[in-house]
Short mmCIF file of all heavy atoms in Angstrom, two decimals:
data_model
loop_
_atom_site.label_atom_id
_atom_site.label_comp_id
_atom_site.label_asym_id
_atom_site.label_seq_id
_atom_site.Cartn_x
_atom_site.Cartn_y
_atom_site.Cartn_z
N SER A 89 62.55 127.15 97.63
CA SER A 89 61.99 126.16 98.54
C SER A 89 61.35 124.99 97.81
O SER A 89 61.06 123.97 98.41
CB SER A 89 60.96 126.84 99.45
OG SER A 89 59.93 127.43 98.67
N CYS A 99 81.07 111.95 101.89
CA CYS A 99 80.95 111.40 100.54
C CYS A 99 82.25 110.70 100.14
O CYS A 99 83.35 111.29 100.26
CB CYS A 99 80.64 112.50 99.54
SG CYS A 99 80.30 111.88 97.88
N ARG A 107 77.71 116.89 92.29
CA ARG A 107 76.95 118.08 91.90
C ARG A 107 76.71 118.12 90.40
O ARG A 107 75.65 118.51 89.93
CB ARG A 107 77.70 119.34 92.33
CG ARG A 107 77.87 119.53 93.82
CD ARG A 107 78.40 120.93 94.09
NE ARG A 107 78.85 121.10 95.45
CZ ARG A 107 80.11 121.14 95.83
NH1 ARG A 107 81.07 121.02 94.92
NH2 ARG A 107 80.44 121.32 97.09
N GLU A 131 83.19 100.38 104.55
CA GLU A 131 84.02 99.35 105.14
C GLU A 131 84.52 98.44 104.02
O GLU A 131 83.89 98.33 102.97
CB GLU A 131 83.26 98.53 106.18
CG GLU A 131 82.08 97.75 105.63
CD GLU A 131 81.39 96.94 106.71
OE1 GLU A 131 81.91 96.88 107.83
OE2 GLU A 131 80.32 96.36 106.43
N GLY A 136 88.33 92.51 98.97
CA GLY A 136 89.22 93.65 98.79
C GLY A 136 88.54 94.89 98.23
O GLY A 136 89.19 95.92 98.05
N ILE A 145 68.49 110.65 105.67
CA ILE A 145 67.87 111.05 106.93
C ILE A 145 67.02 112.29 106.68
O ILE A 145 67.55 113.37 106.36
CB ILE A 145 68.94 111.33 107.99
CG1 ILE A 145 69.84 110.10 108.15
CG2 ILE A 145 68.32 111.73 109.32
CD1 ILE A 145 71.08 110.36 108.97
N LEU A 147 64.88 115.57 107.25
CA LEU A 147 64.90 116.71 108.16
C LEU A 147 63.78 117.66 107.77
O LEU A 147 63.29 117.64 106.64
CB LEU A 147 66.26 117.43 108.10
CG LEU A 147 67.51 116.58 108.37
CD1 LEU A 147 68.76 117.37 108.01
CD2 LEU A 147 67.56 116.15 109.83
N THR A 166 87.68 100.91 88.85
CA THR A 166 88.39 102.17 88.71
C THR A 166 87.68 103.26 89.49
O THR A 166 86.53 103.10 89.92
CB THR A 166 88.49 102.58 87.23
OG1 THR A 166 87.16 102.84 86.74
CG2 THR A 166 89.13 101.49 86.41
N LEU A 180 68.78 107.04 93.09
CA LEU A 180 67.66 106.17 93.46
C LEU A 180 67.14 106.48 94.85
O LEU A 180 65.93 106.51 95.10
CB LEU A 180 68.09 104.70 93.37
CG LEU A 180 68.40 104.17 91.96
CD1 LEU A 180 68.99 102.76 92.06
CD2 LEU A 180 67.16 104.17 91.10
N ASN A 187 59.78 113.19 95.05
CA ASN A 187 58.37 113.03 94.69
C ASN A 187 57.52 114.19 95.18
O ASN A 187 56.43 114.43 94.66
CB ASN A 187 57.85 111.71 95.26
CG ASN A 187 56.47 111.36 94.76
OD1 ASN A 187 56.21 111.46 93.56
ND2 ASN A 187 55.58 110.99 95.66
N THR A 198 64.91 104.16 83.93
CA THR A 198 65.42 103.27 82.90
C THR A 198 65.92 101.99 83.54
O THR A 198 66.27 101.97 84.73
CB THR A 198 66.56 103.92 82.11
OG1 THR A 198 67.65 104.21 83.01
CG2 THR A 198 66.10 105.20 81.44
N TYR A 199 65.94 100.93 82.75
CA TYR A 199 66.40 99.64 83.26
C TYR A 199 67.32 99.00 82.23
O TYR A 199 66.99 98.97 81.03
CB TYR A 199 65.20 98.72 83.52
CG TYR A 199 65.60 97.30 83.87
CD1 TYR A 199 66.19 97.00 85.10
CD2 TYR A 199 65.38 96.26 82.96
CE1 TYR A 199 66.56 95.71 85.41
CE2 TYR A 199 65.75 94.96 83.27
CZ TYR A 199 66.34 94.69 84.49
OH TYR A 199 66.70 93.41 84.82
N ARG A 261 105.26 91.60 104.95
CA ARG A 261 105.75 92.93 104.55
C ARG A 261 107.22 93.06 104.90
O ARG A 261 107.68 92.56 105.94
CB ARG A 261 104.96 94.04 105.25
CG ARG A 261 105.36 95.46 104.88
CD ARG A 261 104.70 96.48 105.79
NE ARG A 261 105.22 96.36 107.15
CZ ARG A 261 106.29 97.02 107.60
NH1 ARG A 261 106.96 97.84 106.79
NH2 ARG A 261 106.69 96.88 108.84
N SER A 293 83.01 83.27 113.26
CA SER A 293 81.82 83.94 113.79
C SER A 293 81.00 82.95 114.60
O SER A 293 80.80 81.80 114.19
CB SER A 293 80.97 84.50 112.64
OG SER A 293 81.73 85.41 111.86
N ALA A 304 99.07 84.20 114.47
CA ALA A 304 100.50 83.94 114.59
C ALA A 304 101.21 85.03 113.82
O ALA A 304 100.73 85.47 112.76
CB ALA A 304 100.85 82.56 114.03
N PHE A 334 77.73 97.43 112.69
CA PHE A 334 79.07 97.97 112.85
C PHE A 334 79.27 99.31 112.16
O PHE A 334 80.06 100.12 112.61
CB PHE A 334 80.10 96.96 112.34
CG PHE A 334 80.83 96.26 113.44
CD1 PHE A 334 80.15 95.80 114.55
CD2 PHE A 334 82.20 96.06 113.38
CE1 PHE A 334 80.81 95.15 115.58
CE2 PHE A 334 82.87 95.41 114.39
CZ PHE A 334 82.18 94.96 115.50
N LEU A 345 95.37 86.22 124.62
CA LEU A 345 96.38 85.55 125.45
C LEU A 345 97.43 84.99 124.52
O LEU A 345 97.11 84.22 123.60
CB LEU A 345 95.74 84.44 126.27
CG LEU A 345 96.68 83.59 127.13
CD1 LEU A 345 97.30 84.44 128.24
CD2 LEU A 345 95.93 82.39 127.72
N LEU A 357 118.75 95.46 128.35
CA LEU A 357 119.04 96.03 129.66
C LEU A 357 118.98 94.99 130.77
O LEU A 357 119.60 95.14 131.82
CB LEU A 357 118.05 97.16 129.96
CG LEU A 357 118.16 98.44 129.13
CD1 LEU A 357 116.97 99.35 129.42
CD2 LEU A 357 119.47 99.16 129.44
N TYR A 358 118.21 93.93 130.53
CA TYR A 358 118.02 92.90 131.56
C TYR A 358 118.91 91.68 131.30
O TYR A 358 118.69 90.61 131.84
CB TYR A 358 116.56 92.49 131.61
CG TYR A 358 115.64 93.65 131.93
CD1 TYR A 358 115.08 94.43 130.92
CD2 TYR A 358 115.37 94.00 133.25
CE1 TYR A 358 114.27 95.52 131.21
CE2 TYR A 358 114.56 95.08 133.56
CZ TYR A 358 114.01 95.83 132.53
OH TYR A 358 113.21 96.91 132.83
N VAL A 372 88.95 97.55 124.86
CA VAL A 372 87.55 97.98 124.84
C VAL A 372 87.46 99.14 123.86
O VAL A 372 88.18 100.14 124.00
CB VAL A 372 87.06 98.40 126.23
CG1 VAL A 372 85.59 98.83 126.16
CG2 VAL A 372 87.24 97.28 127.23
N ASP A 375 82.72 102.89 118.94
CA ASP A 375 82.67 103.71 117.72
C ASP A 375 81.23 104.10 117.44
O ASP A 375 80.31 103.28 117.58
CB ASP A 375 83.24 102.93 116.53
CG ASP A 375 84.73 102.69 116.64
OD1 ASP A 375 85.11 101.66 117.22
OD2 ASP A 375 85.49 103.53 116.16
N PRO A 379 74.43 111.37 112.42
CA PRO A 379 74.29 112.59 111.62
C PRO A 379 75.06 113.78 112.18
O PRO A 379 75.48 114.66 111.43
CB PRO A 379 72.77 112.85 111.66
CG PRO A 379 72.17 111.49 111.84
CD PRO A 379 73.12 110.76 112.73
N SER A 386 88.77 104.32 122.83
CA SER A 386 89.27 102.98 123.12
C SER A 386 90.20 103.01 124.32
O SER A 386 90.86 104.01 124.61
CB SER A 386 90.00 102.39 121.90
OG SER A 386 91.18 103.13 121.62
N HIS A 395 106.25 88.84 134.35
CA HIS A 395 106.67 90.09 134.98
C HIS A 395 105.45 90.99 135.13
O HIS A 395 105.23 91.89 134.30
CB HIS A 395 107.74 90.78 134.13
CG HIS A 395 108.90 89.90 133.77
ND1 HIS A 395 109.92 89.61 134.66
CD2 HIS A 395 109.20 89.24 132.62
CE1 HIS A 395 110.80 88.81 134.06
NE2 HIS A 395 110.39 88.57 132.83
N SER A 404 92.76 106.30 124.01
CA SER A 404 92.75 107.16 122.83
C SER A 404 91.32 107.50 122.45
O SER A 404 90.38 106.75 122.74
CB SER A 404 93.47 106.48 121.65
OG SER A 404 92.81 105.28 121.29
N SER A 424 99.62 107.11 126.70
CA SER A 424 100.04 105.75 127.06
C SER A 424 100.96 105.79 128.27
O SER A 424 101.82 106.67 128.38
CB SER A 424 100.78 105.08 125.90
OG SER A 424 99.98 104.98 124.75
N ARG A 447 117.01 103.64 116.92
CA ARG A 447 116.63 102.70 117.96
C ARG A 447 115.58 103.32 118.86
O ARG A 447 115.48 104.55 118.98
CB ARG A 447 117.83 102.26 118.79
CG ARG A 447 118.57 103.41 119.45
CD ARG A 447 119.73 102.93 120.30
NE ARG A 447 119.29 102.57 121.65
CZ ARG A 447 120.13 102.21 122.62
NH1 ARG A 447 121.43 102.14 122.38
NH2 ARG A 447 119.67 101.91 123.82
N VAL A 473 79.92 124.23 90.33
CA VAL A 473 81.18 123.54 90.09
C VAL A 473 81.98 124.37 89.10
O VAL A 473 81.54 124.60 87.96
CB VAL A 473 80.94 122.13 89.52
CG1 VAL A 473 82.27 121.45 89.21
CG2 VAL A 473 80.14 121.29 90.51
N LEU A 477 91.42 126.79 86.65
CA LEU A 477 92.64 127.27 87.28
C LEU A 477 92.83 126.81 88.70
O LEU A 477 93.87 127.02 89.30
CB LEU A 477 92.68 128.83 87.24
CG LEU A 477 94.06 129.49 87.42
CD1 LEU A 477 95.00 129.03 86.33
CD2 LEU A 477 93.92 130.99 87.47
#
Side-chain angles (χ1 to χ4, degrees):
S89 58
C99 187
R107 296 190 192 105
E131 64 179 352
I145 304 169
L147 304 169
T166 65
L180 293 173
N187 189 46
T198 61
Y199 172 71
R261 181 189 67 89
S293 302
F334 255 43
L345 177 66
L357 291 171
Y358 301 91
V372 180
D375 291 89
S386 65
H395 308 282
S404 62
S424 300
R447 58 178 275 185
V473 177
L477 200 59

